[in-house]
């Protein structure tokens, strides 16, 4: 006997039946309760370390917000860092390990965890939230928990809306860690967020990290909950610290130290980037690979150039960068137009080509599993 899905029907309610609830924050003005928030920035500026610091403060009741004074549980899905690195950072930040819980998905008796996937594991996530009553669920990286082509609004939006309903129904704050596009010079920080437009259309509160010559900066760059101009940017630095390892040695990790309010915002930093033309050229080479991974390995040339233009790269720049990025241009099957392609490690094409012993026709290698779930290249943050 199979389980039947409940019948779908339209519901009409009087607005007076809806309760108005007060706005609360896990972290005052920076992280709202019961909402999906996003933290974005370029690699290497400590995004993940910032999130670990917040989690540590929540587990010890030290974060300035609605839950200050009492320790609270945090659920944490990490795909950018190993569990060992996460624990070392968490301990270095002064967190209580009894209140931090790793979340992943295993199959059968396997001990190898895979990322929580919104389209597959949302009911299980809801059960975990009900069991542990966390005030925060972290998805680092958010893209690892989403399926399909992550530059496609029609694919991304329904998944983010499911996360939003999960946050609303459970009261847990959900914080996803994302990335900026490669080309951000002179761009509004909201427009610099990589992927589909749904990231900023559905997500109601967005934080961003940036770097100036001396320190790092965290700013609220978009919010439908708080007035963005009223929330000060915060300066922070990172320092290397050692913690005791369970094998008797030591592990060295980064730790955040907050420096107070900053007169410079992330928007200011993007308007006056501290990099040279060499960085721009490197970004132009890296962008096609990142975009094609999100598209599953290939995309129509017109789509690549159009999206590249939105990301700040001219058509000529991308065409010059194509060969350095080792992107192959070829005619699509069944009479289709021209496409740009990259080789995905683990794909059928790679397996067929590997037996011939010849050099790869095009590179770089990108894991097919990462392309499927929209993972971005590994970040130091």
């Amino acid at each position: 006997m199979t389980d039947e899905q409940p019948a779908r029907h339209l519901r009409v309610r009087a607005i007076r039946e809806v309760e108005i609830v007060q706005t609360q924050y896990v972290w005052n003005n920076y992280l709202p309760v019961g909402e999906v928030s996003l933290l974005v920035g370029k690699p290497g500026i400590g995004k993940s370390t910032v999130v670990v610091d917040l989690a540590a403060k929540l587990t010890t009741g030290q974060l300035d917000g609605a839950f200050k004074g009492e320790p609270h549980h945090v659920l944490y899905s990490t795909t950018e860092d190993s569990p060992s690195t996460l624990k070392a950072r968490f301990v270095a930040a002064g967190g209580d390990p009894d209140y931090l819980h790793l979340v992943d998905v295993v199959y059968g008796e396997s001990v190898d965890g895979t990322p929580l996937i919104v389209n597959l594991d949302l009911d299980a996530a809801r059960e975990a939230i009900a069991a542990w009553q966390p005030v925060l669920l972290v998805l680092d990286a958010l893209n690892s928990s989403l399926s399909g082509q992550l530059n496609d609004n029609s694919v991304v939006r329904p998944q983010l809306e499911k996360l939003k309903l999960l946050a609303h129904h459970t009261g847990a704050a959900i914080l996803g860690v994302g990335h900026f596009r490669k080309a951000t010079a002179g761009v509004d920080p909201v427009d610099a967020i990589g992927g589909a437009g749904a990231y900023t259309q559905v997500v109601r509160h967005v934080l961003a990290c940036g770097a100036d010559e001396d320190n790092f900066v965290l700013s609220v760059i978009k919010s439908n909950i708080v007035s963005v101009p009223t929330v000060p940017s915060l300066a922070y630095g990172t320092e290397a610290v050692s913690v005791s390892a369970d094998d008797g040695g030591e592990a060295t990790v980064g730790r955040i130290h907050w420096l107070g309010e900053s007169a410079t915002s992330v928007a200011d930093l993007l308007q006056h980037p501290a990099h040279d033309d060499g960085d721009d050229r490197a970004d132009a080479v890296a962008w096609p690979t990142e975009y094609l991974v999100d598209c599953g390995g290939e995309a129509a040339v017109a789509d690549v150039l159009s999206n590249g233009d939105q990301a700040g790269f001219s058509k000529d720049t991308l065409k010059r960068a194509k060969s350095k990025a080792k992107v192959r241009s070829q005619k699509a099957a069944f009479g289709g137009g021209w496409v740009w392609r990259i080789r995905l490690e683990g794909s059928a094409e790679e397996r067929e080509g590997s037996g011939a012993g010849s050099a790869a026709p095009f590179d770089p290698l990108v894991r097919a599993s990462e392309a499927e779930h929209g993972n971005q290249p590994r970040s130091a943050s």
Side-chain angles (χ1 to χ4, degrees):
M1 182 176 180
T2 60
D3 294 333
E4 294 185 1
Q5 293 293 327
R8 186 172 182 267
H9 62 277
L10 186 69
R11 178 176 64 169
V12 178
R13 294 181 293 165
I15 191 65
R16 65 172 174 269
E17 299 175 8
V18 178
E19 293 184 356
I20 298 175
V21 297
Q22 64 175 314
T23 302
Q24 291 185 299
Y25 295 91
V26 174
W27 181 21
N28 281 342
N29 293 325
Y30 296 95
L31 189 58
V33 171
E35 296 285 352
V36 177
S37 298
L38 188 62
L39 174 63
V40 294
K42 287 198 172 185
I45 56 177
K47 299 188 301 294
S48 295
T49 310
V50 166
V51 177
V52 169
D53 184 74
L54 302 181
K57 287 179 168 59
L58 276 172
T59 64
T60 54
Q62 298 179 37
L63 191 61
D64 189 17
F67 304 101
K68 187 174 184 179
E70 294 289 337
H72 285 82
H73 294 284
V74 174
L75 299 184
Y76 210 114
S77 172
T78 178
T79 55
E80 295 290 320
D81 296 307
S82 69
S84 175
T85 298
L86 175 64
K87 181 180 179 181
R89 285 178 174 173
F90 181 75
V91 170
D96 185 339
D98 289 336
Y99 285 87
L100 183 69
H101 312 280
L102 298 180
V103 176
D104 58 13
V105 175
V106 293
Y107 292 85
E109 301 300 319
S110 173
V111 296
D112 296 324
T114 61
L116 178 157
I117 303 298
V118 171
N119 279 339
L120 300 177
D121 306 310
L122 209 62
D123 287 341
R126 185 178 290 106
E127 292 174 1
I129 292 174
W132 291 100
Q133 294 295 303
V135 298
L136 177 64
L137 167 62
V138 176
L139 301 176
D140 184 6
L142 174 60
N143 280 355
S144 297
S145 292
L146 304 180
S147 308
Q149 295 189 8
L150 301 185
N151 62 310
D152 187 338
N153 245 22
S154 66
V155 172
V156 173
R157 187 180 187 97
Q159 297 179 75
L160 293 179
E161 288 174 342
K162 290 177 183 178
L163 277 179
K164 182 172 71 172
L165 289 176
L166 178 66
H168 288 177
H169 291 163
T170 63
I174 299 178
L175 178 60
V177 180
H179 64 96
F180 274 152
R181 299 181 185 275
K182 293 298 181 181
T184 58
V187 177
D188 182 280
V190 173
D191 296 331
I193 296 173
Y199 286 104
T200 55
Q201 295 163 3
V202 177
V203 175
R204 314 309 281 167
H205 193 81
V206 183
L207 304 167
C209 294
D212 62 17
E213 295 180 355
D214 301 313
N215 299 300
F216 302 106
V217 175
L218 180 143
S219 302
V220 176
I221 61 171
K222 185 257 184 181
S223 182
N224 294 79
I225 299 166
V226 65
S227 175
V228 173
T230 66
V231 183
S233 296
L234 302 176
Y236 66 92
T238 60
E239 57 186 352
V241 296
S242 295
V243 298
S244 297
D246 292 325
D247 61 5
E250 289 187 338
T252 302
V253 292
R255 182 174 64 189
I256 294 292
H257 58 95
W258 296 98
L259 303 173
E261 295 184 7
S262 170
T264 301
S265 68
V266 172
D268 296 331
L269 296 175
L270 296 190
Q271 293 302 316
H272 305 285
H275 63 258
D276 58 25
D277 292 341
D279 294 322
D280 288 335
R281 287 191 293 271
D283 287 348
V285 171
W287 185 87
T289 297
E290 179 179 285
Y291 176 80
L292 291 171
V293 167
D294 285 348
C295 293
E298 73 172 51
V301 174
D303 291 341
V304 177
L305 297 180
S306 175
N307 282 276
D309 181 67
Q310 294 179 33
F313 302 107
S314 71
K315 294 180 181 180
D316 290 340
T317 297
L318 289 176
K319 289 177 180 178
R320 287 193 297 268
K322 179 169 71 74
S323 60
K324 292 184 178 180
K326 297 186 179 179
V327 172
R328 181 179 181 180
S329 180
Q330 68 181 62
K331 193 77 170 176
F334 306 109
W338 286 91
V339 297
W340 281 9
R341 305 182 64 200
I342 57 171
R343 179 185 177 190
L344 298 178
E345 183 181 346
S347 65
E349 182 170 10
E350 186 214 355
R351 290 192 296 270
E352 292 171 2
S354 62
S358 59
F362 45 96
D363 274 312
L365 290 175
V366 182
R367 295 189 183 278
S369 61
E370 293 181 354
E372 179 182 354
H373 298 304
N375 287 9
Q376 301 304 315
R378 296 295 179 190
S379 165
S381 60

